[in-house]
Amino acid sequence: MNQVFSRERKTTNEKLIEGILLEKYNSYYRMALSYTKNEADAADIVQEGAYRAIRMAGSLKDPKFASTWIYRIMMNEIYRSMSRAGATSLDAIEYEGEGHEDKYRDTDLERALDSLDKKDQAVIKLRYFEEMTLQEIARILDENENTVKSRLYRSLKKLRAKMEESGYDR
């Protein structure tokens, strides 16, 4: 009897997750691209993240958090991909996305963001580029909301200092 309910939940969750994946594909792709600076790698990350999300649909406990749950899977996939990439410098990688609009594309800002650790980058990108609330970011990163808020303000200070250091005057 319990298996029937869990199978129904999994099917319902799969449909919900598939809908969110289709709706927010571009956001996931932009986020991955902002880390990898490579279109093929970003596409691979999103594909693998989507596969994992659908495969793990049964473990989604609360459907109202499905969107942040998927972002968390995508962020974990980005981190996994970056750790596999080895010691290649992001500055050494040629950016392939020159032909299309990219809201992450500002070389000085990219370098300043790249100087932050992964979680600080994630907070900034999710807050300002993906326009998420601190509560959503806290769920994605599995951190306390106050921790996320502190990380955000501390990261903004670091970014501001880095930008001033590089002579950025926009």
Side-chain angles (χ1 to χ4, degrees), residues 119-120 123-124 127 133-155:
K119 282 203 175 179
D120 290 347
V123 169
I124 296 286
R127 178 68 186 106
T133 66
L134 294 176
Q135 186 178 31
E136 290 171 320
I137 297 167
R139 280 195 300 267
I140 290 168
L141 298 178
D142 196 27
E143 290 186 346
N144 179 295
E145 192 172 339
N146 288 327
T147 302
V148 169
K149 190 182 294 186
S150 296
R151 184 182 298 280
L152 175 65
Y153 294 120
R154 191 173 53 248
S155 299

Side-chain angles (χ1 to χ4, degrees), residues 1-169:
M1 185 80 162
N2 197 15
Q3 271 186 330
V4 171
F5 289 126
S6 71
R7 208 173 315 136
E8 286 177 18
R9 184 177 77 189
K10 183 178 181 190
T11 302
T12 303
N13 286 352
E14 282 177 357
K15 289 178 183 173
L16 174 65
I17 289 166
E18 287 172 7
I20 292 169
L21 288 167
L22 290 172
E23 176 187 335
K24 297 191 176 197
Y25 177 87
N26 290 335
S27 293
Y28 304 138
Y29 177 78
R30 278 193 314 269
M31 179 64 74
L33 185 60
S34 75
Y35 280 89
T36 65
K37 314 292 188 280
N38 180 292
E39 290 180 355
D41 290 345
D44 288 346
I45 287 169
V46 175
Q47 188 73 24
E48 184 64 27
Y51 169 75
R52 286 178 191 269
I54 291 169
R55 193 182 78 210
M56 297 182 337
S59 68
L60 175 62
K61 291 177 179 50
D62 191 342
K64 72 180 178 186
F65 297 125
S67 184
T68 54
W69 182 80
I70 295 170
Y71 258 106
R72 187 172 183 181
I73 290 171
M74 293 296 174
M75 292 303 300
N76 287 336
E77 197 56 40
I78 289 168
Y79 296 152
R80 196 175 358 270
S81 173
M82 297 301 288
S83 69
R84 282 191 307 253
T88 305
S89 165
L90 293 180
D91 290 325
I93 298 172
E94 180 75 24
Y95 183 77
E96 297 177 7
E98 299 295 338
H100 69 283
E101 179 186 343
D102 183 356
K103 59 182 167 181
Y104 295 113
R105 192 72 181 139
D106 180 325
T107 308
D108 292 330
L109 180 58
E110 279 182 27
R111 285 195 178 105
L113 278 169
D114 287 345
S115 72
L116 300 176
D117 75 33
K118 290 188 291 191
K119 282 203 175 179
D120 290 347
Q121 282 183 44
V123 169
I124 296 286
K125 290 176 180 179
L126 291 171
R127 178 68 186 106
Y128 293 105
F129 299 125
E130 299 303 324
E131 300 174 354
M132 292 188 169
T133 66
L134 294 176
Q135 186 178 31
E136 290 171 320
I137 297 167
R139 280 195 300 267
I140 290 168
L141 298 178
D142 196 27
E143 290 186 346
N144 179 295
E145 192 172 339
N146 288 327
T147 302
V148 169
K149 190 182 294 186
S150 296
R151 184 182 298 280
L152 175 65
Y153 294 120
R154 191 173 53 248
S155 299
L156 287 172
K157 271 184 164 177
K158 289 178 189 176
L159 265 181
R160 194 171 295 119
K162 200 70 154 163
M163 297 295 283
E164 288 172 1
E165 181 183 297
S166 70
Y168 190 77
D169 60 346

